[in-house]
Amino acid sequence: MPINPKGLVIGLFLTLVSAFSAHAAASCGDNSGKPATGEPIVIGAITGKTGPDDFSNSTKAAKAYFDCLNANGGIKGRPVKYLVEDDQWNPEIAAQLAAKLVNDEKAVLMVGNSSFVECGANADFYKKSGILVVAGVGVPRECFFAANYAPTNAGPRVSMLGAMGYALDKLNAKSVVCIGPNIPNVGTWSCDGIIQLAKEKGLTAETILMDPGTADSTSTILQAAASKPDVIILGLPKGVTVPLLTAAEEQGLNQSIKFLSAASAYDLSVPGTIGAGWDGNFIVNMEFNDLEATTPDNQNWLAVMDQYGQKSDPRDTFAQAGYLSARIAEAALMTLDPANINRETASAAVQGIKGFKSDIFCAPWYFGDGQARHNANSTTRMAVSEGGKWKVVSDCAPSPDPELKDIRAFEKSAGIN
């Protein structure tokens, strides 16, 4: 049978396109390809998987990275035994699970935590137990005001204030409504920041708190629109935000009011889900880099998810957070003698992290040894829904949250940019 040169060229071209479109091999540990076989290092995590929304994306990504690490030498030959528990959005269950992981399983660190309730339930317990938490996604105020708890994300308040800064600088907003969850130290804390900044800038502002599990989206949106604000800023899980936007579009409000959101809505599926009616009208804060950024570490995150995660695991901002928390834990543990890794040495190693760099962050992450609270990630970007995708519309900018004055002062004194 004669060979068709044209067919061979086309086939070669398609093969090359496929090769270059796929992510490169995941890079973890020593990249030896040899599984770690030593004594396991126990690391725990608590997440809110079952409840008003599935909030477990951070731990899914952290697990993927630890699986990749274990397949490539682990921590100097020792694998990570990563134990993830579901608090079901229940503070009492969260407290029980923390005791199980810390006291019974003897975890040396907690990594990748992502929950609406566990920080408040466990912050004091972690301090008394001498264990540090490198959380993926901090949500309530306690996650950012605890000595032993340091999230990789910016948090809902800092993220919402980043959106507020964009509304002031780029949208010339004069009036704002903040919608947050009626969860202690989450909705009120975040929206209070919006109100405080609005007062400083001479804007009018109001707050609406809603129960994420039972709220009527239409009535909430109509209440928010009653004062005819220039912008409405949302600080809710993706699963709650999308129905609110649907209700807003049904009322035609997507054309008369600009809607902005904390990073919780920054998910690749959202623009296509909400549709073309929101093109240019729904703007979200990005706590990390563009989800599809071609920068090296962001591509490694995607490669790790492809090779060691599940196809169903979301590639969202919270997955970026979990990946980063696992990488930070790895960086800290790799500085230790593998024969002497325990809670005390692991804590000291994490406390020593001062300039962890990743192109997923806008600025280097640090723990802040001796600090009573932690909010290293406070410089963020913005993106707008357009054509079924996200389009980045701002460079990295410090959040204008008035509550960050102590963080900025510490960074200046410590020489951290």
Side-chain angles (χ1 to χ4, degrees), residues 164 167-168 172-176 194-195 197-205 230-231:
M164 178 69 168
L168 291 171
N172 196 30
K174 301 299 182 184
S175 56
V176 58
I194 298 290
I195 301 299
L197 185 61
K199 287 182 178 180
E200 290 182 4
K201 301 296 183 180
L203 278 66
T204 60
D230 295 324
V231 299

Side-chain angles (χ1 to χ4, degrees), residues 47-70:
T47 189
K49 180 173 176 58
T50 54
D53 198 9
D54 183 348
F55 213 60
S56 65
N57 297 353
S58 172
T59 49
K60 291 173 182 175
K63 181 183 184 303
Y65 189 81
F66 285 135
D67 286 349
C68 179
L69 174 65
N70 290 342

Side-chain angles (χ1 to χ4, degrees), residues 40-234:
I41 301 167
V42 179
I43 292 178
I46 296 176
T47 189
K49 180 173 176 58
T50 54
D53 198 9
D54 183 348
F55 213 60
S56 65
N57 297 353
S58 172
T59 49
K60 291 173 182 175
K63 181 183 184 303
Y65 189 81
F66 285 135
D67 286 349
C68 179
L69 174 65
N70 290 342
N72 287 278
I75 302 296
K76 298 180 179 178
R78 296 183 61 181
V80 169
K81 183 180 180 181
Y82 189 50
L83 304 177
V84 181
E85 299 287 355
D86 175 16
D87 65 20
Q88 303 172 49
W89 292 57
N90 185 317
E92 292 183 1
I93 294 176
Q96 294 168 4
L97 294 174
K100 173 186 175 182
L101 291 169
V102 175
N103 295 335
D104 300 339
E105 299 291 350
K106 308 299 182 185
V108 300
L109 289 172
M110 299 288 285
V111 175
N113 292 30
S114 54
S115 167
F116 270 76
V117 300
E118 83 97 13
C119 302
N122 296 326
D124 289 342
F125 170 72
Y126 292 138
K127 185 175 181 180
K128 292 176 182 177
S129 301
I131 191 168
L132 296 190
V133 183
V134 181
V137 183
V139 183
R141 187 177 187 273
E142 291 92 343
C143 295
F144 301 90
F145 281 80
N148 285 39
Y149 210 106
T152 61
N153 72 319
R157 175 174 165 130
V158 168
S159 187
M160 290 177 75
L161 266 293
M164 178 69 168
Y166 185 86
L168 291 171
D169 296 340
K170 304 298 183 181
L171 304 180
N172 196 30
K174 301 299 182 184
S175 56
V176 58
V177 171
C178 178
I179 303 180
N182 189 19
I183 298 174
N185 285 325
V186 180
T188 302
W189 173 53
S190 299
C191 286
D192 280 354
I194 298 290
I195 301 299
Q196 183 179 351
L197 185 61
K199 287 182 178 180
E200 290 182 4
K201 301 296 183 180
L203 278 66
T204 60
E206 64 177 276
T207 293
I208 296 174
L209 299 181
M210 58 180 287
D211 184 337
T214 61
D216 182 319
S217 296
T218 299
S219 62
T220 299
I221 283 297
L222 290 176
Q223 181 184 354
S227 61
K228 297 182 179 179
D230 295 324
V231 299
I232 292 175
I233 299 179
L234 308 174

